[in-house]
Amino acid sequence: MKKYFLLNLFAILILLLMLFSCKTTQPINEVKETTIVNHDSINLVKFTIRNQAIVDSLKIIIGSIKTEKKECDSVCQIAIDKLLSQLNTSKKSGANSYNVNYNSKDKSLNFNSKIGATENKIYKVYYRITKTVTLYKTKEIPVDKPLPKWQIILMQIGAVTIGYLLLKFITFIKPKV
């Protein structure tokens, strides 16, 4: 039995090759490719906020000093008038200006201001990103080709012949064992 082990193994290998060598037809693969493209863009949005000029004035009336001593009242009034008359000042820068002055006739302190128009600019940037996606879709299309009758008959004859040869081969080996 050990003598014919390799011979039996070789016979089985040949038989397996004959049985599995005839494959059916493979299905055809259909590949569908779809590409989706999103474009990017940069949008710059500019807002401008404008405020109008402001013109303002303030008048403060400073009354006269009245105490029980009239000499003291007049001296104090002269000192206050002299002090407030030194307060006269004005500044100007572009469209902005202010001035402060004392009017001794009205006994009033006047404040006038002018603030020029302002403008604020706001910039906003919006980005849209480009994205490219490629989709692959595979679809198997089975191939069903019916065999002609003559091929089926030849296949059956070949199978019977292989079976007959296998039986003869086995009967040839057994009498020697």
Side-chain angles (χ1 to χ4, degrees), residues 115-127:
I115 300 172
T118 59
E119 186 174 281
N120 294 332
K121 293 183 181 178
I122 300 170
Y123 296 97
K124 289 191 179 183
V125 180
Y126 296 101
Y127 296 97

Side-chain angles (χ1 to χ4, degrees), residues 83-134:
L83 182 66
L84 288 175
S85 65
Q86 292 176 358
L87 191 61
N88 292 339
T89 183
S90 67
K91 298 283 184 205
K92 184 172 183 176
S93 173
N96 300 324
S97 65
Y98 77 91
N99 65 359
V100 178
N101 61 5
Y102 177 69
N103 189 351
S104 58
K105 294 177 187 175
D106 293 347
K107 301 225 185 245
S108 63
L109 185 63
N110 298 317
F111 177 76
N112 297 315
S113 66
K114 181 180 178 187
I115 300 172
T118 59
E119 186 174 281
N120 294 332
K121 293 183 181 178
I122 300 170
Y123 296 97
K124 289 191 179 183
V125 180
Y126 296 101
Y127 296 97
R128 194 175 92 197
I129 299 170
T130 298
K131 188 176 185 182
T132 303
V133 178
T134 304

Side-chain angles (χ1 to χ4, degrees), residues 7-19:
L7 191 57
N8 285 336
L9 188 63
F10 182 71
I12 291 172
L13 181 67
I14 295 293
L15 181 62
L16 288 174
L17 282 174
M18 286 184 207
L19 288 175

Side-chain angles (χ1 to χ4, degrees), residues 18-19 21-24 145-163:
M18 286 184 207
L19 288 175
S21 64
C22 298
K23 290 173 77 174
T24 60
K145 289 184 180 179
L147 295 173
K149 288 186 180 184
W150 63 272
Q151 282 183 343
I152 294 174
I153 293 171
L154 286 177
M155 286 171 56
Q156 289 172 352
I157 292 172
V160 171
T161 305
I162 289 173

Side-chain angles (χ1 to χ4, degrees), residues 53-102:
I54 299 172
V55 177
D56 192 17
S57 63
L58 176 67
K59 184 176 188 179
I60 300 173
I61 298 176
I62 299 175
S64 55
I65 297 175
K66 292 184 182 178
T67 60
E68 293 181 12
K69 294 185 181 179
K70 290 190 179 189
E71 305 95 31
C72 185
D73 289 346
S74 62
V75 172
C76 286
Q77 190 66 42
I78 292 169
I80 287 177
D81 286 343
K82 186 176 179 185
L83 182 66
L84 288 175
S85 65
Q86 292 176 358
L87 191 61
N88 292 339
T89 183
S90 67
K91 298 283 184 205
K92 184 172 183 176
S93 173
N96 300 324
S97 65
Y98 77 91
N99 65 359
V100 178
N101 61 5
Y102 177 69

